Amino acid sequence: MPIRRLDLNLLRVFEAVMQHRSVIGASRELSVTPSAVSHALSRLRQALGDELFIAGESGMEPTARALQLAPGISGGLGRIAEAISRKSFVPSEAVRTFRIAATDYAEVAVLPRLVARIGPAAPQIDLRVFPLNRMDVVRQLDDGRVDFVIGWFAELPERVRRSTLLQDTETVLVRRGHPLTEGPVTRERLFAFPHVVVELTGSEEQATDGFLDDRGVARRVWIERLILEMKEEGKELAGRVAVAVPHYAAVPPLLAVSDMVATLPGILAIRAAAQCGLVALDLPYEPQRANLDMIWHQRAEQDPGVRWFVGAILEAMAGPLP
C-alpha cells in the first residue's frame, strides 16, 4: 500500500501493541477503548496483508512480518516526533529518563562512575536499571522498552550498535585458608572442588561457549570458562557445579562458608577479596580477558539525547579503573 494512503495513527497502534503485547495495554497508553485498538488492528492487517499479532499464552505475539516491520515503524514514528518537536539537547536543562538493562557486575563497575559524571552536568536526567538476566532483554531493546544493554556480547546484528566500556580479566577466588591456597594450583586440583557459577538467566538455558543467542544477539550468560573448556577438549576431568546463581553478589558469601571455587570478573574479585576475606588464585592457564560493552538500537542514533548519553558514559569510563 502506498504510504500516502495509510493512516499513520494505525502505526501508533501497531507500536503500542508491539510494546505491551496487549490490546488493553495499548488502549491505556493511547487513551482509547480496546475496541478502537482492535478496529485499528483490523484495518492495518487488511492494509498490510498479514495477521501482525496472534493471541497466545503470553499475550499478543507478533508474526514474523510484524517483527520485520517493528524497527522501521518505531524509528519512523520517532523521527516524525523528533522533527515536530526538535530542539537542541541541553544536558543541564534536559528532563529525561534512560532505561538500562545490566548485570549487578555492570552496576558496580559502571554506574558509580556514570552517576558522578552526569549528576553535575545533567541534574534532571534519571536512570532506571533493569536486570540483564531476563530472557527477553534484546526484545525489550528492539521494542524500545530499554534504551541500552550493558554486558558481554559476541557478534551483533546490523541493527545494534556497540561501544566498549572496559576490559576485565577473569579471576578465580576461594576462601582464606582453602586447601588450594597451599601448594601449586593445577587444573586437576581446581576440579577436585565444587564450583559456584553465575548463570545470568537463572534458567539452565543451554548456552554454546557460555553465550546465548537472543534474537541474533550473542550475549554471555555463563563465565565459568574452565569448565566449558575442559568439556570441549573431551578430557576426563569433569567439574561439578554445586550452585548456580543469577547474580554475582551471591557468590562471595557462598565462597566464604565453603570450599567451593568461583570465577568472577576482576573488578568484583578485588572487592570480594577485601570485603569477604577471599583469596585470588594463581591460575594454571592464561586468564581470559573480556570486553564489557554497551549496546543500543541503531534507530536511536538520530536522538541527540542518546548521542549525548553515549558520549557521557564513554567519558566516565575513560579514566583508570579503581
Side-chain angles (χ1 to χ4, degrees):
M1 168 177 284
I3 188 64
R4 66 180 180 273
R5 295 175 54 191
L6 184 65
D7 183 352
L8 294 185
N9 285 318
L10 302 182
L11 302 184
R12 293 184 62 228
V13 171
F14 174 93
E15 184 181 45
V17 176
M18 177 66 72
Q19 179 175 351
H20 294 281
R21 299 294 199 271
S22 164
V23 169
I24 293 176
S27 72
R28 289 172 180 165
E29 178 175 324
L30 299 172
S31 299
V32 298
T33 65
S35 62
V37 172
S38 296
H39 179 66
L41 271 182
S42 178
R43 291 174 57 197
L44 192 57
R45 285 165 170 156
Q46 184 176 7
L48 299 180
D50 189 270
E51 281 296 303
L52 299 177
F53 299 95
I54 299 173
E57 293 183 358
S58 57
M60 300 292 286
E61 292 297 327
T63 65
R65 176 64 170 156
L67 291 173
Q68 179 187 39
L69 290 170
I73 289 175
S74 180
L77 291 175
R79 285 190 290 274
I80 291 173
E82 182 185 352
I84 293 173
S85 60
R86 183 186 297 274
K87 61 180 181 180
S88 59
F89 182 83
V90 181
S92 62
E93 301 174 0
V95 178
R96 183 160 179 179
T97 298
F98 289 106
R99 296 156 299 174
I100 305 169
T103 64
D104 53 336
Y105 161 62
E107 292 167 14
V108 170
V110 176
L111 282 185
R113 299 163 67 95
L114 176 60
V115 169
R117 169 69 179 81
I118 69 172
Q124 299 184 91
I125 295 292
D126 296 329
L127 304 178
R128 297 290 181 267
V129 182
F130 304 94
L132 185 60
N133 56 346
R134 288 192 53 155
M135 290 295 294
D136 63 346
V137 66
V138 178
R139 187 174 83 174
Q140 294 183 68
L141 185 67
D142 281 338
D143 295 349
R145 285 181 282 172
V146 298
D147 301 302
F148 303 96
V149 181
I150 300 177
W152 294 285
F153 304 95
E155 295 300 319
L156 298 174
E158 292 185 1
R159 71 181 187 279
V160 177
R161 300 292 183 261
R162 170 186 359 216
S163 279
T164 296
L165 303 183
L166 62 89
Q167 186 179 82
D168 207 349
T169 304
E170 65 174 335
T171 302
V172 174
L173 292 178
V174 295
R175 65 171 175 83
R176 188 172 296 154
H178 191 285
L180 285 173
T181 60
E182 299 293 334
V185 178
T186 64
R187 291 177 184 249
E188 288 76 11
R189 291 190 70 202
L190 280 172
F191 273 105
F193 296 92
H195 287 238
V196 53
V197 170
V198 176
E199 200 282 294
L200 293 177
T201 65
S203 63
E204 296 187 319
E205 189 75 15
Q206 294 299 315
T208 303
D209 296 334
F211 286 86
L212 178 70
D213 186 88
D214 189 356
R215 292 169 69 99
V217 174
R219 61 185 177 107
R220 182 177 284 281
V221 297
W222 184 292
I223 71 165
E224 190 70 23
R225 185 176 65 127
L226 178 63
I227 292 177
L228 289 169
E229 283 187 347
M230 299 306 280
K231 285 182 179 179
E232 290 174 0
E233 292 171 6
K235 297 186 178 180
E236 294 183 0
L237 292 173
R240 173 180 166 234
V241 177
V243 179
V245 294
H247 303 288
Y248 291 100
V251 174
L254 294 175
L255 296 181
V257 298
S258 72
D259 279 343
M260 289 191 290
V261 178
T263 300
L264 288 179
I267 292 174
L268 286 188
I270 292 172
R271 293 172 182 263
Q275 296 172 1
C276 299
L278 303 180
V279 178
L281 299 177
D282 293 326
L283 298 179
Y285 57 87
E286 185 66 24
Q288 173 181 238
R289 293 185 176 274
N291 292 333
L292 183 69
D293 295 331
M294 181 173 72
I295 66 173
W296 62 95
H297 202 284
Q298 66 176 359
R299 64 172 176 267
E301 294 196 320
Q302 303 302 317
D303 184 330
V306 167
R307 293 198 299 269
W308 172 83
F309 187 84
V310 171
I313 195 170
L314 291 177
E315 288 180 12
M317 300 303 297
L321 294 174

